[in-house]
Amino acid sequence: MATKTRRTTAEERILRTAAELFYTHGLRGVGIDQVIAESGVAKSTLYVHFRTKDELIAAYLRRTDDSWMAQLQNAAARAGDRPGDQIVGLFDALLDAFDRHGFFGCPFVSAAVEAPLDSEARAITVRHTDRRNGWLTTLATEAGAGDPAALARQVGLLIDGALASGRLLQNRAVVDEAKAAARALVAQHTA
């Protein structure tokens, strides 16, 4: 039993360290040796849990997908019971992220740019976008949008654009502007 706990703790430490490094420096900017050194695990321990850097990247992206979706959904829920308000309110998750650690962009956009088109990392980024847009389409439908899928795509573009501009400008005002644009889009699509 102690071995299982030790492995779980080591795996968690590896994933947490890799997530921090990948988010800050990008997938290509981080080597396995850096993850090993900063997580404090032996090389053999890392390879017990992740046979390749690609497996580590995939685990990081899957974990980030779950975490980011939860953050978006929690921010939406804090905005109230009305789906239109929730669509606008989800942008508070971006503000929360900025307040926690500044803007390093969207980990999924970064991964999509850095990963080969046929890689698992890219496939995970596409699944994340589909998952997010599916949730947004549900909210848009519940809000009474005439074309819920179009509203979802447009709000998704605002999220991605705010994260990209936030990284470039390091200014939380870009999120406020994206949130205002989302409010206008919701009004336009539900009029």
Side-chain angles (χ1 to χ4, degrees):
M1 187 62 129
T3 303
K4 177 111 174 111
T5 302
R6 195 173 312 124
R7 281 186 186 157
T8 303
T9 302
E11 182 178 16
E12 175 61 29
R13 200 166 56 243
I14 292 164
L15 275 170
R16 192 174 47 248
T17 301
E20 221 172 272
L21 292 170
F22 289 147
Y23 184 63
T24 305
H25 304 290
L27 304 181
R28 291 183 189 156
V30 176
I32 286 294
D33 289 338
Q34 185 178 8
V35 174
I36 291 167
E38 294 199 25
S39 66
V41 301
K43 185 176 270 195
S44 60
T45 302
L46 183 132
Y47 285 115
V48 162
H49 297 290
F50 308 99
R51 293 178 311 188
T52 65
K53 182 179 176 183
D54 288 341
E55 282 187 15
L56 179 58
I57 289 169
Y60 152 69
L61 289 171
R62 282 191 294 273
R63 183 180 185 153
T64 302
D65 175 35
D66 290 338
S67 172
W68 186 233
M69 285 298 299
Q71 291 173 58
L72 291 171
Q73 291 168 342
N74 288 339
R78 288 192 316 258
D81 294 330
R82 296 181 43 206
D85 293 341
Q86 291 177 350
I87 292 170
V88 175
L90 68 84
F91 284 87
D92 290 341
L94 281 70
L95 292 171
D96 294 344
F98 180 79
D99 291 342
R100 267 193 316 276
H101 46 66
F103 277 130
F104 290 97
C106 175
F108 300 102
V109 171
S110 297
V113 168
E114 292 187 58
L117 291 177
D118 62 347
S119 68
E120 184 176 7
R122 184 160 190 305
I124 293 168
T125 65
V126 170
R127 280 194 301 271
H128 165 75
T129 302
D130 291 344
R131 180 181 178 199
R132 182 195 67 195
N133 285 355
W135 171 64
L136 290 172
T137 300
T138 299
L139 282 178
T141 300
E142 292 169 356
D147 187 347
L151 177 56
R153 285 190 308 273
Q154 292 166 1
V155 170
L157 288 170
L158 288 173
I159 293 167
D160 294 340
L163 289 168
S165 291
R167 174 158 182 133
L168 177 66
L169 302 174
Q170 290 299 307
N171 184 343
R172 73 192 315 267
V174 298
V175 178
D176 294 326
E177 292 171 7
K179 187 175 180 178
R183 186 175 289 109
L185 280 172
V186 169
Q188 175 187 346
H189 280 269
T190 58

